[in-house]
Amino acid sequence: MRIIHLSDTHVESVDAPNGNGVNATDSLRLMLTELRHVRDVDAVVVTGDIADDGAVEAYTTVRELVGEFARPHGAPVFYTTGNHDEREAFGKVLGSGHAQPQSVLETGDSERAAVSTVGGHRFVTLDSLVPGKVYGRFTEAQLDWLREVLRTPAEHGTVLAFHHPPLSLGLSVTQQVFGLLNPGELAEAIRGSDVRVVLTGHFHLQLFGMLESVPVWVTPGVVNRIDLTTPYGTERAVRGASASLVELGGPTSPLFHTLHARDPRAHETVYELDEQRTRALVEKHGPSQPSFPN
């Protein structure tokens, strides 16, 4: 099983440079063009922040571009929500995030979670979106649904995909407060299950860790990447579209490989936040009792 993992496309309703001077649609086009020689793609997973402004037009653009890439491979595409996404617009274009789901979560909040199977590998997408917030959280209803799904093992195990990572590197203030707020509850839900790998995005950088002995992979963003060589308490984003190739089922799997688009302007600064602006961001968008880690 070979999966192309994309995240954080941040496409807007207008095909033009954003406020930081980056055309997100062009970044996605470039990344998909660079991926054209990757062979034997079995599935494509896009883990959220699909539309930067929650516009229907942005979801349509991503669906068309990613679909055009996946179609020659005969690969299904699975989408999840991110903190920039808007559930109603997401649903109008992408439905549950699966073209032909076997099971879909039904809640009053219209959370977008679904299940499909590809070649004996079960793909479960979850919805960690907390409307109006940067951080993520799973509701109890969603975790109960996940437990029920995982009660019956799949032939080759389960791929779990969502936006907010249940881990952080510790080098970034924003990672520590803007990730998944209830990773312990997720860990309990997947304990003893057939989950083989967790795929996430959100941080705009590649990161690997473990949750309940399950590998967790954070793929870098398509629209830009975060550079962690800056002083602690600051943040810098740089140009450069990236994606991941995830391989399952082999004797040494899971294998993760980061793929970077050949952008002549790669590594140029997109934006840079000093400590004061980063602190203000955390205090404005962090949890209800925000703190600025020392």
Side-chain angles (χ1 to χ4, degrees):
M1 168 62 61
R2 286 161 60 87
I3 304 165
I4 291 295
H5 181 194
L6 305 169
S7 196
D8 297 272
T9 53
H10 286 270
V11 168
E12 301 190 30
S13 55
V14 179
D15 186 356
N18 60 23
N20 293 315
V22 176
N23 185 320
T25 305
D26 277 350
S27 293
L28 178 58
R29 289 192 190 101
L30 176 61
M31 190 71 253
L32 294 173
T33 298
E34 294 286 74
L35 294 171
R36 69 191 183 281
H37 298 305
V38 177
R39 297 181 297 170
D40 303 324
V41 176
D42 299 301
V44 179
V45 175
V46 188
T47 51
D49 277 5
I50 295 163
D52 191 71
D53 52 6
V56 167
E57 294 84 356
Y59 292 108
T60 302
T61 296
V62 174
R63 183 189 63 188
E64 291 176 352
L65 290 176
V66 176
E68 183 180 0
F69 166 80
R71 202 168 297 117
H73 297 279
V77 184
F78 305 113
Y79 297 93
T80 83
T81 57
N83 53 286
H84 275 264
D85 290 306
E86 199 280 319
R87 284 179 179 141
E88 184 177 353
F90 179 105
K92 284 181 179 178
V93 179
L94 303 174
S96 66
H98 296 223
Q100 296 179 311
Q102 295 168 297
S103 177
V104 175
L105 171 67
E106 301 287 351
T107 70
D109 294 327
S110 300
E111 293 165 291
R112 305 294 174 182
V115 180
S116 294
T117 301
V118 182
H121 296 262
R122 180 167 54 195
F123 286 77
V124 179
T125 55
L126 298 178
D127 184 344
S128 58
L129 166 64
V130 179
K133 304 296 182 182
V134 180
Y135 57 79
R137 181 189 286 119
F138 292 126
T139 61
E140 190 58 38
Q142 196 167 169
L143 292 171
D144 286 343
W145 176 83
L146 176 63
R147 292 186 190 96
E148 186 61 31
V149 168
L150 297 177
R151 193 180 302 278
T152 303
E155 181 181 0
H156 297 307
T158 296
V159 176
L160 193 59
F162 52 89
H163 187 63
H164 294 85
L167 47 80
S168 70
L169 189 59
L171 297 178
S172 166
V173 170
T174 54
Q175 278 188 32
Q176 294 176 48
V177 296
F178 290 148
L180 186 70
L181 292 193
N182 55 343
E185 294 177 33
L186 176 64
E188 187 278 328
I190 67 173
R191 184 174 299 136
S193 73
D194 71 342
V195 175
R196 299 288 184 261
V197 67
V198 173
L199 303 180
T200 69
H202 188 50
F203 288 161
H204 290 230
L205 48 79
Q206 63 265 35
L207 181 62
F208 176 83
M210 305 290 286
L211 181 72
E212 276 298 305
S213 301
V214 176
V216 177
W217 177 250
V218 184
T219 193
V222 172
V223 69
N224 60 45
R225 291 184 288 112
I226 296 298
D227 174 11
L228 290 182
T229 64
T230 57
Y232 184 78
T234 68
E235 181 173 292
R236 178 168 63 228
V238 298
R239 285 180 179 265
S242 301
S244 296
L245 174 63
V246 181
E247 191 166 309
L248 303 174
T252 58
S253 70
L255 294 175
F256 306 94
H257 182 60
T258 304
L259 305 161
H260 301 295
R262 292 169 294 174
D263 184 344
R265 298 185 63 185
H267 312 301
E268 289 184 10
T269 297
V270 173
Y271 69 79
E272 193 158 8
L273 305 179
D274 59 19
E275 187 170 337
Q276 181 178 1
R277 292 177 66 193
T278 303
R279 183 188 299 271
L281 180 70
V282 168
E283 292 177 349
K284 180 179 180 181
H285 298 289
S288 56
Q289 293 183 328
S291 62
F292 195 77
N294 294 318

